[in-house]
Amino acid sequence: MCSLMKLRKPFFFFCTNSLTSLSLRRLSSTLSAQPSSSSSQQTSSTFIHPSAIVHPNALISQGVSIGPFCTVGSSAKLGQGCQLHPGSHIFGNTELGEHCILMTGSVVGDDLPGRTVVGCNNIIGHHAVVGVKCQDLKYKPGDACFLDIGDNNDIREHSSIHRSSKSSDRTVIGDNNLIMGSCHIAHDCKVGNNNIFANNTLLAGHVMVEDYAHTAGAIVVHQFCHIGSFSFIGGGSVVSQDVPKYMMVTGERAELRGLNLEGLRRRGFTAAEINSLRMAYRKIFMPVDANSASFEERLAEVEQNEELVHIPAVCSMVQSIRNSFSEDRRGICKFRHWI
């Protein structure tokens, strides 16, 4: 028995030391690459852990680091400096821009017709699922479906972003968005730039979010709704109609609660612009006598007001309200007549 153990021990140590030394050599070659001169810089070498499964047809740029137990499919394209943390996976026709980071357990792409494109400097959080098949029963197997993500987005843990439901449309995420943990962005949504979605923000299919919108936690947005720029949605709200630009809504069935004043201040709106928006909001939603004029007449009054007609922010707000009442839209969230 002792002699058998003596025979096994050297073989086990040989395999372990060989694997460890190979990993260390690859890791040290990645870390030791330094610029050769100020005029011409040497790009870091690529590191692929021995336990990772990388298809030979995958396009791996220089400076990519692929950790243990990762999977990279045959049609994947990884830009320079991407990092795949242990246990992260890339499937299907998926393209990552430069310096993207996939945290442990994240999945990007799917073996479906179509494509997932992720821009530069994006972080895909732990166990997030991005670019997989939508949850729409109208989707027909074999149809191409698409997801386009811009640059500098932080998509946190357990979030999900799905591809489009048909080949003629696509799910789109812009730039510089913070999508916190456990958010869901469904098929065919269009999300602009610089938005903040707090935890458990759930967007149904075909929702459009403009720029600089902010949601608190645990909110739900009905399909086909539009969320205007610089708006705020209070925690726990159920949004079943459009939120116009600059406005704040909250409630189990979200209602207008005024302007997003703090958000406007933080985004650099001047005191004069905010005062003009407040004046316009009062004329439209807080008339002294709610029966004195119809909603359409109050909108027209603001559009013809000499003090407000030349303020771009006011014109943009009124146009946002009008657009919500077009034939294919859902109207705006309910509002109360304050007396």
Side-chain angles (χ1 to χ4, degrees):
M1 184 68 176
C2 293
S3 60
L4 182 60
M5 291 298 293
K6 290 179 181 177
L7 288 174
R8 287 181 177 177
K9 185 175 180 180
F11 179 73
F12 171 78
F13 274 28
F14 172 76
C15 294
T16 304
N17 290 339
S18 299
L19 184 61
T20 303
S21 62
L22 178 61
S23 301
L24 290 175
R25 285 200 303 272
R26 292 186 178 184
L27 181 59
S28 62
S29 64
T30 302
L31 297 176
S32 62
Q34 297 293 334
S36 58
S37 66
S38 58
S39 58
S40 60
Q41 295 186 346
Q42 179 183 353
T43 305
S44 301
S45 60
T46 298
F47 168 71
I48 301 177
H49 193 275
S51 66
I53 300 175
V54 180
H55 196 281
N57 292 340
L59 299 180
I60 311 297
S61 299
Q62 292 185 338
V64 171
S65 174
I66 301 177
F69 309 111
C70 294
T71 307
V72 180
S74 60
S75 300
K77 299 178 183 179
L78 277 63
Q80 289 188 5
C82 287
Q83 299 178 36
L84 274 63
H85 285 234
S88 55
H89 308 281
I90 301 177
F91 299 115
N93 186 6
T94 299
E95 180 178 342
L96 294 185
E98 296 181 356
H99 304 293
C100 287
I101 299 175
L102 272 61
M103 303 303 292
T104 296
S106 60
V107 177
V108 179
D110 204 346
D111 290 317
L112 298 169
R115 189 174 65 171
T116 297
V117 177
V118 181
C120 301
N121 301 306
N122 292 290
I123 301 175
I124 312 297
H126 297 81
H127 301 282
V129 179
V130 174
V132 298
K133 186 177 76 171
C134 67
Q135 298 175 150
D136 187 349
L137 294 177
K138 296 191 296 297
Y139 174 76
K140 299 178 181 178
D143 281 359
C145 47
F146 302 93
L147 168 64
D148 292 338
I149 297 178
D151 302 331
N152 306 310
N153 296 289
D154 190 357
I155 302 168
R156 295 300 300 269
E157 58 276 4
H158 298 285
S159 292
S160 57
I161 303 176
H162 290 174
R163 289 204 215 173
S164 61
S165 61
K166 51 189 177 182
S167 58
S168 59
D169 207 340
R170 62 189 59 228
T171 306
V172 178
I173 311 294
D175 303 331
N176 305 303
N177 296 291
L178 172 56
I179 301 172
M180 298 186 195
S182 302
C183 290
H184 174 63
I185 299 176
H187 58 90
D188 308 296
C189 285
K190 307 291 186 295
V191 177
N193 306 318
N194 302 291
N195 297 292
I196 300 175
F197 297 160
N199 301 71
N200 294 290
T201 291
L202 308 179
L203 306 185
H206 303 276
V207 168
M208 179 175 289
V209 183
E210 296 180 3
D211 302 326
Y212 293 101
H214 189 171
T215 72
I219 71 107
V220 181
V221 182
H222 192 281
Q223 57 262 36
F224 293 100
C225 285
H226 285 228
I227 309 300
S229 297
F230 303 98
S231 60
F232 180 84
I233 301 175
S237 298
V238 177
V239 180
S240 57
Q241 293 178 286
D242 292 358
V243 180
K245 285 184 177 181
Y246 315 123
M247 297 189 190
M248 179 170 57
V249 302
T250 190
E252 188 276 329
R253 281 295 183 268
E255 296 181 348
L256 295 180
R257 298 302 175 101
L259 294 171
N260 180 21
L261 296 176
E262 185 59 32
L264 295 175
R265 294 188 188 101
R266 291 180 179 181
R267 295 301 176 186
F269 282 71
T270 66
E273 288 177 310
I274 293 174
N275 288 336
S276 296
L277 286 169
R278 295 179 75 168
M279 183 185 301
Y281 185 93
R282 288 193 185 102
K283 288 180 177 295
I284 297 170
F285 298 109
M286 302 171 63
V288 176
D289 183 359
N291 299 318
S292 61
S294 67
F295 184 76
E296 172 62 32
E297 290 171 337
R298 298 199 297 271
L299 278 176
E301 179 186 350
V302 170
E303 291 174 319
Q304 298 166 10
N305 187 288
E306 293 182 358
E307 294 182 56
L308 302 175
V309 70
H310 300 297
I311 308 297
V314 172
C315 296
S316 182
M317 182 181 76
V318 172
Q319 189 59 50
S320 176
I321 296 170
R322 287 200 176 280
N323 290 342
S324 294
F325 290 99
S326 61
E327 185 176 351
D328 58 341
R329 298 278 288 274
R330 297 181 57 81
I332 64 172
C333 290
K334 298 296 186 287
F335 58 94
R336 299 179 183 180
H337 295 285
W338 301 97
I339 299 178

